[in-house]
Amino acid sequence: MGKVVLVTGAARQLGGRFVRRIQRDPDVERVIAVDAVTPPHRLGSAEFVRTDIRQSAIARVLAEHAVDTVVHLAVTGGSVGTGGAHSTVKETNVIGTMQLLGACQKSPTVRRLVVKSSTSVYGGTSRDPAVFTETTQPKSLPAGGFAKDAAEVEGYVRGFARRRPDVAVCVLRFANILGPFADSALAEYFSIPVMPTVLGYDPRLQFVHEDDVLDVLRLAAGEPRRGTLNSGTFNIAGDGVLLLSQCSRRLGRPTLPLLLPAVTWVGSALRAVGITDFSPEQIRLLTHGRVVETSQMRDVLGFEPVYTTAETFADFARSRGGGLLPPERAARAVDRMAAVLKVDGLDVDVDAVEGAKR
Protein backbone atom coordinates (compact mmCIF):
# COMPACT_ATOMS: atom_id res chain seq x y z
CA MET A 1 0.00 0.00 0.00
CA GLY A 2 1.29 3.45 -0.94
CA LYS A 3 1.10 6.67 1.01
CA VAL A 4 -2.15 8.58 1.50
CA VAL A 5 -1.24 12.27 1.47
CA LEU A 6 -3.54 15.06 2.60
CA VAL A 7 -2.71 18.57 1.35
CA THR A 8 -4.32 21.67 2.85
CA GLY A 9 -4.61 24.96 0.96
CA ALA A 10 -5.31 23.19 -2.34
CA ALA A 11 -7.24 26.14 -3.79
CA ARG A 12 -4.20 28.39 -3.84
CA GLN A 13 -1.79 28.28 -6.75
CA LEU A 14 1.06 26.67 -4.82
CA GLY A 15 -1.20 24.11 -3.16
CA GLY A 16 -2.75 23.09 -6.49
CA ARG A 17 0.65 22.66 -8.12
CA PHE A 18 1.91 20.54 -5.24
CA VAL A 19 -1.18 18.33 -5.37
CA ARG A 20 -0.51 17.63 -9.04
CA ARG A 21 3.22 17.11 -8.40
CA ILE A 22 2.93 14.68 -5.48
CA GLN A 23 0.61 12.42 -7.51
CA ARG A 24 3.58 11.50 -9.69
CA ASP A 25 5.49 10.08 -6.72
CA PRO A 26 5.52 6.27 -7.14
CA ASP A 27 5.21 5.82 -3.37
CA VAL A 28 1.94 7.77 -3.23
CA GLU A 29 -1.30 5.84 -3.65
CA ARG A 30 -3.85 8.60 -3.08
CA VAL A 31 -3.89 12.37 -2.60
CA ILE A 32 -6.63 14.14 -0.65
CA ALA A 33 -6.84 17.85 -1.47
CA VAL A 34 -8.56 20.04 1.12
CA ASP A 35 -9.73 23.63 1.08
CA ALA A 36 -12.70 25.74 2.16
CA VAL A 37 -13.34 26.88 -1.42
CA THR A 38 -13.41 25.02 -4.72
CA PRO A 39 -10.05 25.32 -6.51
CA PRO A 40 -10.07 27.29 -9.78
CA HIS A 41 -7.44 24.93 -11.21
CA ARG A 42 -7.15 21.23 -12.01
CA LEU A 43 -6.11 18.80 -9.30
CA GLY A 44 -5.43 15.80 -11.51
CA SER A 45 -6.55 12.52 -10.02
CA ALA A 46 -6.62 13.86 -6.45
CA GLU A 47 -9.83 13.62 -4.47
CA PHE A 48 -11.00 17.09 -3.46
CA VAL A 49 -12.77 17.48 -0.12
CA ARG A 50 -14.32 20.85 0.50
CA THR A 51 -13.95 21.49 4.21
CA ASP A 52 -12.73 24.29 6.44
CA ILE A 53 -9.75 23.24 8.55
CA ARG A 54 -11.02 25.62 11.23
CA GLN A 55 -13.84 23.14 11.83
CA SER A 56 -13.66 19.75 13.56
CA ALA A 57 -14.73 18.03 10.32
CA ILE A 58 -11.06 17.79 9.32
CA ALA A 59 -10.69 14.96 11.87
CA ARG A 60 -13.30 12.91 9.98
CA VAL A 61 -11.41 13.45 6.73
CA LEU A 62 -8.21 12.08 8.27
CA ALA A 63 -10.05 9.08 9.67
CA GLU A 64 -12.14 8.25 6.59
CA HIS A 65 -9.15 8.23 4.26
CA ALA A 66 -6.62 6.72 6.72
CA VAL A 67 -4.20 9.58 5.97
CA ASP A 68 -0.59 8.91 6.94
CA THR A 69 1.09 12.07 5.59
CA VAL A 70 -0.19 15.63 6.07
CA VAL A 71 1.28 18.56 4.11
CA HIS A 72 -0.03 21.79 5.62
CA LEU A 73 0.16 24.57 3.03
CA ALA A 74 -2.79 26.62 4.31
CA VAL A 75 -0.45 28.96 6.21
CA THR A 76 -0.33 32.06 4.07
CA GLY A 77 0.07 35.81 4.18
CA GLY A 78 -2.73 36.25 1.68
CA SER A 79 -2.67 39.04 -0.86
CA VAL A 80 -4.97 41.64 -2.31
CA GLY A 81 -5.71 39.43 -5.30
CA THR A 82 -6.95 36.51 -3.20
CA GLY A 83 -9.68 38.50 -1.48
CA GLY A 84 -10.83 38.07 2.09
CA ALA A 85 -10.09 40.05 5.23
CA HIS A 86 -6.93 39.55 7.21
CA SER A 87 -9.01 38.33 10.13
CA THR A 88 -10.19 35.38 8.00
CA VAL A 89 -6.64 34.64 6.86
CA LYS A 90 -5.40 34.79 10.46
CA GLU A 91 -8.13 32.43 11.62
CA THR A 92 -7.20 29.94 8.92
CA ASN A 93 -3.51 30.26 9.76
CA VAL A 94 -3.79 29.93 13.53
CA ILE A 95 -7.17 28.41 14.43
CA GLY A 96 -7.06 26.17 11.36
CA THR A 97 -3.62 24.89 12.33
CA MET A 98 -4.78 24.21 15.88
CA GLN A 99 -7.74 22.17 14.61
CA LEU A 100 -5.57 20.29 12.12
CA LEU A 101 -2.95 19.45 14.74
CA GLY A 102 -5.64 18.34 17.15
CA ALA A 103 -7.02 16.00 14.49
CA CYS A 104 -3.51 14.69 13.70
CA GLN A 105 -2.84 14.08 17.39
CA LYS A 106 -5.91 11.83 17.66
CA SER A 107 -5.28 10.03 14.38
CA PRO A 108 -3.60 6.61 14.74
CA THR A 109 -2.57 6.58 11.07
CA VAL A 110 -0.70 9.91 10.73
CA ARG A 111 3.05 9.31 10.63
CA ARG A 112 4.44 12.44 8.94
CA LEU A 113 3.60 16.16 9.09
CA VAL A 114 5.10 18.84 6.84
CA VAL A 115 4.35 22.49 7.62
CA LYS A 116 4.98 25.45 5.32
CA SER A 117 6.38 28.34 7.36
CA SER A 118 8.36 31.47 6.56
CA THR A 119 11.64 33.18 7.40
CA SER A 120 9.46 36.10 8.51
CA VAL A 121 9.36 34.43 11.95
CA TYR A 122 12.79 36.01 12.54
CA GLY A 123 11.22 39.46 12.43
CA GLY A 124 12.89 42.55 11.04
CA THR A 125 14.70 45.20 13.07
CA SER A 126 17.88 47.24 12.88
CA ARG A 127 19.34 45.07 15.68
CA ASP A 128 19.03 41.79 13.80
CA PRO A 129 22.12 39.75 12.85
CA ALA A 130 23.34 39.84 9.27
CA VAL A 131 22.39 36.17 8.76
CA PHE A 132 19.79 34.10 10.61
CA THR A 133 20.24 30.42 11.42
CA GLU A 134 17.45 28.06 12.42
CA THR A 135 18.34 28.54 16.10
CA THR A 136 18.48 32.36 16.00
CA GLN A 137 16.00 33.95 18.38
CA PRO A 138 14.37 37.16 17.08
CA LYS A 139 15.37 40.38 18.84
CA SER A 140 11.67 41.20 19.09
CA LEU A 141 8.75 38.90 18.34
CA PRO A 142 6.64 39.86 15.30
CA ALA A 143 3.88 42.20 16.45
CA GLY A 144 1.31 41.28 13.84
CA GLY A 145 0.51 40.11 10.34
CA PHE A 146 1.68 36.90 8.71
CA ALA A 147 4.97 36.91 10.65
CA LYS A 148 3.10 36.66 13.95
CA ASP A 149 0.78 34.00 12.51
CA ALA A 150 3.75 31.91 11.37
CA ALA A 151 5.46 32.23 14.77
CA GLU A 152 2.27 31.09 16.53
CA VAL A 153 1.83 28.21 14.10
CA GLU A 154 5.39 27.01 14.75
CA GLY A 155 4.73 27.15 18.49
CA TYR A 156 1.70 24.87 18.12
CA VAL A 157 3.67 22.53 15.87
CA ARG A 158 6.43 22.20 18.48
CA GLY A 159 3.80 21.32 21.06
CA PHE A 160 2.35 18.69 18.73
CA ALA A 161 5.81 17.20 18.16
CA ARG A 162 6.27 16.80 21.91
CA ARG A 163 2.90 15.09 22.30
CA ARG A 164 3.35 12.80 19.29
CA PRO A 165 7.05 11.89 19.16
CA ASP A 166 6.17 9.01 16.83
CA VAL A 167 5.24 11.49 14.08
CA ALA A 168 8.05 12.87 11.91
CA VAL A 169 7.56 16.65 11.82
CA CYS A 170 9.25 18.90 9.25
CA VAL A 171 8.91 22.70 9.32
CA LEU A 172 10.14 24.50 6.21
CA ARG A 173 10.89 28.20 6.64
CA PHE A 174 10.75 29.60 3.12
CA ALA A 175 12.34 32.84 2.02
CA ASN A 176 10.21 35.02 -0.26
CA ILE A 177 8.68 32.72 -2.88
CA LEU A 178 8.80 34.03 -6.46
CA GLY A 179 8.32 32.66 -9.95
CA PRO A 180 6.07 33.07 -12.98
CA PHE A 181 2.97 32.07 -10.97
CA ALA A 182 3.76 33.88 -7.72
CA ASP A 183 0.70 35.46 -6.10
CA SER A 184 2.21 36.87 -2.91
CA ALA A 185 2.07 40.44 -1.61
CA LEU A 186 5.77 40.90 -2.48
CA ALA A 187 5.10 39.77 -6.06
CA GLU A 188 2.37 42.39 -6.28
CA TYR A 189 4.74 45.03 -4.93
CA PHE A 190 7.32 44.19 -7.60
CA SER A 191 4.58 44.48 -10.24
CA ILE A 192 3.48 48.07 -9.60
CA PRO A 193 4.87 50.65 -12.10
CA VAL A 194 6.72 52.73 -9.49
CA MET A 195 7.96 51.05 -6.31
CA PRO A 196 7.92 53.12 -3.09
CA THR A 197 11.03 52.51 -0.97
CA VAL A 198 12.33 53.73 2.38
CA LEU A 199 14.74 56.62 1.94
CA GLY A 200 18.28 55.71 2.99
CA TYR A 201 17.78 51.93 2.98
CA ASP A 202 18.69 49.32 0.40
CA PRO A 203 17.81 45.98 2.03
CA ARG A 204 19.26 42.58 1.15
CA LEU A 205 16.65 40.09 -0.02
CA GLN A 206 16.59 36.34 -0.64
CA PHE A 207 14.20 34.41 -2.86
CA VAL A 208 13.26 30.80 -3.46
CA HIS A 209 11.77 29.64 -6.76
CA GLU A 210 8.30 28.12 -6.63
CA ASP A 211 9.58 25.05 -8.51
CA ASP A 212 12.19 24.50 -5.79
CA VAL A 213 9.41 24.90 -3.20
CA LEU A 214 7.51 22.03 -4.82
CA ASP A 215 10.62 19.86 -4.92
CA VAL A 216 11.54 20.39 -1.27
CA LEU A 217 7.95 19.81 -0.14
CA ARG A 218 7.98 16.52 -2.02
CA LEU A 219 11.30 15.61 -0.39
CA ALA A 220 9.96 16.45 3.08
CA ALA A 221 6.77 14.43 2.53
CA GLY A 222 8.64 11.22 1.67
CA GLU A 223 10.95 8.90 3.52
CA PRO A 224 14.40 10.39 4.19
CA ARG A 225 17.12 9.42 1.78
CA ARG A 226 20.26 7.67 2.99
CA GLY A 227 22.43 10.04 5.00
CA THR A 228 19.72 12.70 5.36
CA LEU A 229 17.04 13.63 7.88
CA ASN A 230 13.80 15.31 6.82
CA SER A 231 12.40 16.05 10.24
CA GLY A 232 13.22 19.28 12.06
CA THR A 233 13.21 22.95 11.07
CA PHE A 234 14.99 24.17 7.93
CA ASN A 235 15.59 27.51 6.23
CA ILE A 236 14.86 27.24 2.50
CA ALA A 237 16.32 29.85 0.12
CA GLY A 238 18.28 30.13 -3.10
CA ASP A 239 21.99 30.96 -3.04
CA GLY A 240 23.01 34.60 -2.93
CA VAL A 241 21.20 37.85 -2.18
CA LEU A 242 19.91 40.83 -4.14
CA LEU A 243 19.62 44.42 -3.03
CA LEU A 244 16.23 46.05 -3.49
CA SER A 245 17.88 48.54 -5.86
CA GLN A 246 19.15 45.63 -7.98
CA CYS A 247 15.62 44.19 -8.11
CA SER A 248 14.26 47.53 -9.28
CA ARG A 249 16.94 47.82 -11.94
CA ARG A 250 16.34 44.30 -13.27
CA LEU A 251 12.61 44.89 -13.45
CA GLY A 252 13.05 48.22 -15.21
CA ARG A 253 10.77 49.82 -12.62
CA PRO A 254 11.76 53.12 -11.01
CA THR A 255 11.64 53.55 -7.26
CA LEU A 256 10.20 56.40 -5.22
CA PRO A 257 12.34 56.90 -2.08
CA LEU A 258 10.23 58.25 0.79
CA LEU A 259 10.70 58.92 4.47
CA LEU A 260 9.40 56.03 6.57
CA PRO A 261 6.19 57.82 7.71
CA ALA A 262 5.39 58.64 4.09
CA VAL A 263 6.00 55.01 3.02
CA THR A 264 3.56 53.88 5.69
CA TRP A 265 0.95 56.36 4.42
CA VAL A 266 1.47 55.34 0.78
CA GLY A 267 1.29 51.69 1.77
CA SER A 268 -2.05 52.24 3.51
CA ALA A 269 -3.37 54.05 0.43
CA LEU A 270 -2.27 51.28 -1.94
CA ARG A 271 -3.82 48.68 0.32
CA ALA A 272 -7.10 50.62 0.56
CA VAL A 273 -7.54 50.76 -3.23
CA GLY A 274 -6.60 47.09 -3.65
CA ILE A 275 -3.35 47.56 -5.58
CA THR A 276 -1.06 45.68 -3.21
CA ASP A 277 -1.06 44.43 0.37
CA PHE A 278 1.61 46.87 1.56
CA SER A 279 1.53 45.83 5.21
CA PRO A 280 3.73 47.09 8.07
CA GLU A 281 5.44 43.69 7.96
CA GLN A 282 6.39 44.20 4.31
CA ILE A 283 7.62 47.71 5.04
CA ARG A 284 9.98 46.26 7.68
CA LEU A 285 11.28 43.77 5.11
CA LEU A 286 11.87 46.56 2.60
CA THR A 287 13.68 48.54 5.29
CA HIS A 288 15.94 46.01 6.99
CA GLY A 289 15.84 43.02 4.61
CA ARG A 290 16.42 39.45 5.74
CA VAL A 291 19.09 36.83 4.93
CA VAL A 292 19.16 33.25 6.27
CA GLU A 293 21.79 30.52 6.50
CA THR A 294 20.92 27.40 4.47
CA SER A 295 23.67 24.93 5.38
CA GLN A 296 21.20 22.71 7.29
CA MET A 297 19.05 22.54 4.16
CA ARG A 298 21.97 21.02 2.27
CA ASP A 299 23.82 19.03 4.93
CA VAL A 300 20.88 17.55 6.86
CA LEU A 301 17.81 17.74 4.63
CA GLY A 302 19.88 16.93 1.55
CA PHE A 303 18.22 19.52 -0.68
CA GLU A 304 19.99 21.67 -3.27
CA PRO A 305 17.84 24.36 -4.96
CA VAL A 306 18.00 24.47 -8.73
CA TYR A 307 17.61 28.26 -8.82
CA THR A 308 19.76 30.87 -7.09
CA THR A 309 18.17 34.03 -5.69
CA ALA A 310 19.21 35.96 -8.81
CA GLU A 311 17.91 33.27 -11.19
CA THR A 312 14.62 33.10 -9.30
CA PHE A 313 14.15 36.84 -9.62
CA ALA A 314 15.10 36.79 -13.30
CA ASP A 315 12.44 34.15 -14.00
CA PHE A 316 9.89 36.21 -12.08
CA ALA A 317 10.90 39.41 -13.92
CA ARG A 318 10.44 37.75 -17.34
CA SER A 319 6.90 36.78 -16.39
CA ARG A 320 6.01 40.37 -15.44
CA GLY A 321 7.07 42.00 -18.70
CA GLY A 322 9.01 45.25 -19.12
CA GLY A 323 8.78 48.16 -16.72
CA LEU A 324 8.82 51.89 -17.38
CA LEU A 325 12.60 51.82 -17.79
CA PRO A 326 14.23 49.20 -20.05
CA PRO A 327 16.74 47.29 -17.85
CA GLU A 328 19.50 47.69 -20.43
CA ARG A 329 19.05 51.45 -20.47
CA ALA A 330 19.04 51.59 -16.69
CA ALA A 331 22.22 49.51 -16.60
CA ARG A 332 23.99 51.86 -19.01
CA ALA A 333 22.98 54.83 -16.86
CA VAL A 334 24.41 53.19 -13.76
CA ASP A 335 27.63 52.29 -15.57
CA ARG A 336 28.04 55.88 -16.79
CA MET A 337 27.50 57.21 -13.27
CA ALA A 338 30.09 54.78 -11.88
CA ALA A 339 32.57 55.86 -14.56
CA VAL A 340 32.04 59.53 -13.70
CA LEU A 341 32.61 58.87 -10.02
CA LYS A 342 35.83 56.98 -10.74
CA VAL A 343 37.07 59.82 -12.94
CA ASP A 344 36.50 62.15 -10.02
CA GLY A 345 38.72 59.93 -7.90
CA LEU A 346 36.00 58.03 -6.05
CA ASP A 347 36.23 54.23 -6.05
CA VAL A 348 32.54 53.37 -5.86
CA ASP A 349 31.03 49.95 -6.43
CA VAL A 350 28.41 49.85 -9.18
CA ASP A 351 25.89 48.22 -6.86
CA ALA A 352 26.21 51.17 -4.50
CA VAL A 353 25.02 53.61 -7.17
CA GLU A 354 22.30 51.57 -8.79
CA GLY A 355 19.84 54.13 -7.47
CA ALA A 356 21.02 56.40 -10.28
CA LYS A 357 18.52 54.73 -12.56
CA ARG A 358 15.77 56.55 -10.72
Side-chain angles (χ1 to χ4, degrees), residues 207-263:
F207 306 114
V208 56
H209 197 282
E210 54 198 5
D211 289 350
D212 284 326
V213 172
L214 298 177
D215 288 341
V216 74
L217 285 170
R218 181 173 177 270
L219 175 64
E223 295 301 318
R225 296 176 298 194
R226 183 182 297 274
T228 69
L229 180 66
N230 61 354
S231 59
T233 300
F234 302 95
N235 293 330
I236 309 296
D239 283 343
V241 300
L242 283 177
L243 299 176
L244 180 57
S245 59
Q246 291 176 305
C247 296
S248 169
R249 171 182 173 181
R250 296 176 190 202
L251 285 167
R253 286 179 166 81
T255 59
L256 179 62
L258 300 168
L259 293 173
L260 184 56
V263 174

Side-chain angles (χ1 to χ4, degrees), residues 3 14 31 55 59 96 139 141 144 182 185 193 197 210 236-237 242 251 259 268 285 309-310 333:
K3 288 179 174 291
L14 183 66
V31 178
Q55 307 299 324
K139 297 296 183 181
L141 293 174
T197 61
E210 54 198 5
I236 309 296
L242 283 177
L251 285 167
L259 293 173
S268 299
L285 174 66
T309 285

Side-chain angles (χ1 to χ4, degrees), residues 128-189:
D128 286 334
V131 179
F132 292 95
T133 68
E134 286 85 351
T135 58
T136 303
Q137 296 299 315
K139 297 296 183 181
S140 60
L141 293 174
F146 174 57
K148 183 178 181 181
D149 293 354
E152 291 182 11
V153 164
E154 287 199 13
Y156 294 129
V157 171
R158 286 192 292 270
F160 168 81
R162 289 191 295 269
R163 293 187 296 271
R164 285 290 304 268
D166 58 310
V167 176
V169 178
C170 184
V171 176
L172 301 176
R173 290 175 177 167
F174 290 104
N176 301 287
I177 300 173
L178 286 183
F181 305 102
D183 58 359
S184 65
L186 188 63
E188 291 169 350
Y189 166 76

Side-chain angles (χ1 to χ4, degrees), residues 7-22 33-35 39-43 71-77 82 115-117 146 172 174-179 181-184 208-218:
V7 181
T8 67
R12 288 187 66 91
Q13 177 270 137
L14 183 66
R17 290 190 65 192
F18 179 71
V19 167
R20 295 190 295 272
R21 172 71 65 85
I22 197 67
V34 172
D35 211 306
H41 40 249
R42 296 178 299 102
L43 295 177
V71 181
H72 184 30
L73 302 184
V75 181
T76 175
T82 60
V115 179
K116 170 182 171 286
S117 188
F146 174 57
L172 301 176
F174 290 104
N176 301 287
I177 300 173
L178 286 183
F181 305 102
D183 58 359
S184 65
V208 56
H209 197 282
E210 54 198 5
D211 289 350
D212 284 326
V213 172
L214 298 177
D215 288 341
V216 74
L217 285 170
R218 181 173 177 270

